[in-house]
Amino acid sequence: MKNNLLMAAMGVALVGTLGAAPNVVVFMADDFGSGCVNAYGAPEELVKTPNLNRLAESGMRFTNANTPASICSPTRYALLTGRYAWRGPLPFGVVNVFDPMVVETDRETLPNYLKEMGYATAQIGKWHLGYGDRRPAVFTEKLTPGPNDIGFDYHFGLPQNLDDMLRVWIENDGVYGLRSKKTSSFAKCFYGKPYLGFDAPQRNREEASEFLTQKAVDWLQSQDKDEPFFLYFASPATHHPIVPSERMRGKSNCGAYGDFIQDLDWSFGQIVQTLEKMGVMDNTVIIFTADNGSDIPGDKTRPEGQAIAAGLKPNSIYRGDKHTIYEGGGRVPLMVRWDGKIKPGFVSDHMVSIVDVFSTVADLVNGKWVTLPDAEDSSSFALTLMGKKQKPRSPMVGTNAAGIQSIRSGHWKYIDGTFPENVPGNLLKAFRKQAVPALYDLEKDPSEDNNVIGDYPEVVQQLQAILDDYRNGKGSGNQTAKRPVSQPALSSIRTQARK
């Protein structure tokens, strides 16, 4: 299926021109709302993000970027597959520590698509999509299927979260540096359970971000500059526990959370600096985004609460945070740079979802509209990046941690307030207050203060019908068929061969 899909997508015209394809770097932050970046309004007197600010100045900044879920795993699944996770492996919740890999090995993925076009591919950083094919996964054995089986040549990963009970790294299909199958549990992780104590190097929380960044830098420097590469780097920041590095500790003016934000900015800057030294910036697409909005614990004494007390608004003006159905859970920064191709300093309000990255990258590397039958929920925003007029995105779906869904169409957001089947009791209890039908006019009410569901019954009826169609199998993307005649073609964006 993959080979047939690729041939249909590439087309005969691209044969012999793969050398001109741009490199692609996707940098995904963890639990990172748009209010954490100066370019999106974070006060510089509290926190400084010079490298991300430079990205905004050098590329395109989106003000209406959304995640398909307000939690980690479903967004990461959608990024790699172009498909909503609720259609298959994750109708609610996230991948747990011992869960098998949820990305289907017989489904086309972004890394596999690029690999078959001749790209070197790597995933470095947080994974959170599981390993192996059984539950519980056995980490002292070969972990397959895994990232290597869906298109990544190299994987160096944080299995779940920064302080999960594993406390080890995964390199390709096994625990990094594993010496034996012996385990000796010790201490307790952030979540209260003992570390499993594998006979392997143990992660240091405060040094994890820098360690992963160096792994990414090393991989980039090992690449042949005359051949295209794809790096998906997933930072562990700013997911709790909030553990800034010694380099940044105490450097912001809003406590440890601000310091951790600056760690993430430094990490991004190191990757860009590496690309600059390699001399490949003019032929590299750089995408920065996040898996969901910032997580704001109820305990105001924690670092996130201290930062808010100092004046930081991690999720900007938006209601809610990670896990929720509201905009604070799904509105994220999105900035894209491609020197000489994307107009620098441009700000777009085009509505996009992170599930759209697959089709957008496919269009950019091919220089034309391509079909992606497996990526049924992905809609390319390549035309917007190229400064061309583009039709509004088709209505898109968002979910919270319990699987409650919303649908966005233009300025309307509708929440139907229902749980999917088989939601466990703890999630039903925790999210029952969000299981309320609602309609918001985000143009007039971006903070979702006024539920106007009783005022616009025809809008509710229309959006419910679209949502039902999606649930019955219709894709929300626009690239499962040939390019609509109403959409302009991409200009020749790959006219310069590699030097």
Side-chain angles (χ1 to χ4, degrees), residues 13-211:
L14 290 180
V15 175
T17 66
L18 296 180
N23 309 308
V24 180
V25 174
V26 174
F27 187 112
M28 177 168 277
D30 197 0
D31 296 359
F32 196 73
S34 58
C36 296
V37 183
N38 298 142
Y40 280 89
E44 289 194 28
E45 61 269 23
L46 295 179
V47 63
K48 291 181 171 59
T49 57
N51 294 296
L52 293 174
N53 298 344
R54 195 171 301 117
L55 175 63
E57 295 166 358
S58 304
M60 184 174 292
R61 178 170 67 89
F62 288 82
T63 59
N64 194 2
N66 307 265
T67 60
S70 63
I71 44 175
C72 306
S73 302
T75 294
R76 295 165 193 271
Y77 174 92
L79 171 76
L80 296 181
T81 65
R83 180 184 188 234
Y84 295 137
W86 54 262
R87 294 193 186 277
L90 291 168
F92 51 81
V94 297
V95 175
N96 294 315
V97 173
F98 296 105
D99 284 349
M101 186 173 73
V102 294
V103 182
E104 302 90 342
T105 56
D106 62 349
R107 174 172 291 279
E108 184 65 290
T109 64
L110 175 58
N112 190 73
Y113 181 90
L114 295 176
K115 182 176 180 177
E116 293 190 2
M117 288 185 67
Y119 279 70
T121 59
Q123 194 283 328
I124 297 173
K126 178 170 175 173
W127 179 238
H128 209 171
L129 290 170
Y131 295 95
D133 58 3
R134 55 179 165 162
R135 182 184 294 108
V138 180
F139 282 86
T140 54
E141 297 179 3
K142 187 174 182 179
L143 297 169
T144 186
N148 297 146
D149 299 289
I150 62 166
F152 287 113
D153 297 321
Y154 181 69
H155 166 67
F156 194 93
L158 180 69
Q160 193 190 43
N161 292 321
L162 186 56
D163 200 31
D164 58 49
M165 63 193 297
L166 300 173
R167 207 180 179 183
V168 292
W169 306 105
I170 305 298
E171 186 170 37
N172 292 321
D173 57 5
V175 171
Y176 172 67
L178 186 67
R179 293 177 286 265
S180 73
K181 293 187 177 183
K182 179 182 178 180
T183 60
S184 180
S185 62
F186 67 101
K188 288 185 178 180
C189 70
F190 180 82
Y191 303 96
K193 295 183 178 181
Y195 296 113
L196 294 179
F198 290 109
D199 186 18
Q202 302 291 295
R203 298 192 307 256
N204 181 302
R205 302 184 309 179
E206 288 77 9
E207 297 175 1
S209 183
E210 182 173 352
F211 182 74

Side-chain angles (χ1 to χ4, degrees), residues 46 252-259 261 296 300-314:
L46 295 179
S252 76
N253 289 319
C254 57
Y257 188 64
D259 301 342
I261 290 172
I296 311 300
K300 295 182 180 180
T301 65
R302 283 174 51 176
E304 301 92 332
Q306 294 172 6
I308 292 172
L312 189 70
K313 296 180 179 180

Side-chain angles (χ1 to χ4, degrees), residues 221-376:
Q221 291 177 335
S222 71
Q223 299 310 300
D224 182 343
K225 292 187 293 185
D226 294 323
E227 299 296 333
F229 57 79
F230 167 52
L231 170 65
Y232 165 35
F233 182 83
S235 173
T238 55
H239 193 291
H240 59 233
I242 307 303
V243 284
S245 67
E246 285 298 310
R247 174 187 288 102
M248 288 298 175
R249 189 162 58 85
K251 295 296 177 63
S252 76
N253 289 319
C254 57
Y257 188 64
D259 301 342
F260 211 24
I261 290 172
Q262 294 187 174
D263 267 325
L264 183 140
D265 180 80
W266 175 88
S267 175
F268 178 77
Q270 291 299 297
I271 289 176
V272 173
Q273 187 178 95
T274 300
L275 295 169
E276 290 173 341
K277 289 180 178 178
M278 292 170 63
V280 297
M281 283 297 290
D282 63 343
N283 203 38
T284 301
V285 179
I286 302 173
I287 300 173
F288 175 89
T289 190
D291 61 347
N292 46 253
S294 295
D295 189 8
I296 311 300
D299 182 355
K300 295 182 180 180
T301 65
R302 283 174 51 176
E304 301 92 332
Q306 294 172 6
I308 292 172
L312 189 70
K313 296 180 179 180
N315 291 318
S316 189
I317 62 172
Y318 301 112
R319 177 184 179 184
D321 64 339
K322 177 184 179 178
H323 302 112
T324 72
I325 196 63
Y326 307 113
E327 291 296 282
R331 286 287 186 115
V332 291
L334 172 64
M335 294 177 280
V336 186
R337 176 179 177 179
W338 188 3
D339 291 359
K341 305 294 191 302
I342 295 174
K343 183 179 179 180
F346 192 83
V347 179
S348 173
D349 63 357
H350 182 74
M351 185 177 79
V352 300
S353 172
I354 303 310
V355 75
D356 299 337
V357 169
F358 188 166
S359 58
T360 302
V361 168
D363 280 0
L364 292 178
V365 301
N366 282 294
K368 65 178 183 179
W369 186 281
V370 297
T371 55
L372 299 168
D374 272 9
E376 64 259 46

Side-chain angles (χ1 to χ4, degrees), residues 350 369 380 383 388-393 478 483-490:
H350 182 74
W369 186 281
S380 173
L383 288 170
K388 292 181 174 293
K389 186 177 180 180
Q390 184 163 8
K391 291 175 60 178
R393 192 201 192 282
N478 65 353
R483 176 173 58 87
V485 293
S486 57
Q487 288 277 31
L490 284 170

